[in-house]
Structure formats: structure tokens, C-alpha cells
């Protein structure tokens, strides 16, 4: 954790540290204001969230029991 005033004084070091691990910027000693992460960490986090959303959507789809005809599906997808 880094205080906001320390962040302002040593941004380069904080950005360098963030390449190895997330750095929390705090305000007034303990209140988290931001987290600085590397671009690769951010990309992996977003991909993981998207994967989780896809798994949830697939789970919901597996629970659906309503059948739909091929023509209805094409129409729903805007292919008819």
C-alpha cells in the first residue's frame, strides 16, 4: 500500500512495482482509493471475468428446457 502523497512523489517507482504485483493507493492512511496493476494483470483479470460470465450464461442455458424450432432460432438470431 502507498499513500496518495507518496504516490505523487514516487509515481515511477509505484508504476515499476505494479509490474510485479498490484499496488493499492490509499487516502488518509487506510482508505483504498485505487489499485495500480500491470497491463498484463489487467488483461488476465478481464479475461477471467469474461470466462466466468460465459460459464454462468452456459449454466443458465443448460437449465432451459424450452425447445425452439430451427426457423424460430434463425428468426431470433436475425438470420431469417
Amino acid at each position: 500500500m502507498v499513500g496518495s502523497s507518496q504516490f505523487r512523489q514516487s509515481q515511477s517507482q509505484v508504476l515499476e512495482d505494479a509490474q510485479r504485483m498490484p499496488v493499492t493507493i490509499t487516502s488518509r492512511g487506510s482508505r483504498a482509493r485505487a489499485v495500480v496493476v500491470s497491463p498484463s494483470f489487467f488483461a488476465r483479470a478481464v479475461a477471467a471475468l469474461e470466462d466466468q460470465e460465459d460459464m454462468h450464461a452456459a449454466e443458465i442455458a443448460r437449465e432451459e428446457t424450452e425447445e425452439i424450432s430451427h426457423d424460430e432460432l434463425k428468426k431470433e438470431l436475425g438470420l431469417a
Side-chain angles (χ1 to χ4, degrees):
M1 284 198 277
V2 175
S4 56
S5 60
Q6 183 182 355
F7 173 70
R8 284 190 295 276
Q9 294 170 0
S10 57
Q11 290 179 25
S12 295
Q13 182 62 48
V14 170
L15 293 174
E16 187 177 315
D17 292 346
Q19 299 309 303
R20 292 183 299 284
M21 70 180 123
V23 178
T24 302
I25 310 299
T26 60
S27 178
R28 302 185 196 276
S30 63
R31 183 172 163 236
R33 298 281 295 172
V35 177
V36 181
V37 298
S38 69
S40 63
F41 181 94
F42 180 77
R44 288 191 316 270
V46 169
L49 288 172
E50 290 171 345
D51 289 348
Q52 190 175 23
E53 287 178 355
D54 291 345
M55 288 186 295
H56 181 67
E59 202 173 288
I60 290 171
R62 279 192 297 272
E63 292 173 1
E64 291 180 359
T65 57
E66 179 184 342
E67 291 188 20
I68 185 170
S69 72
H70 185 256
D71 289 335
E72 289 173 320
L73 177 60
K74 286 188 340 185
K75 188 174 183 179
E76 187 175 309
L77 296 174
L79 302 173

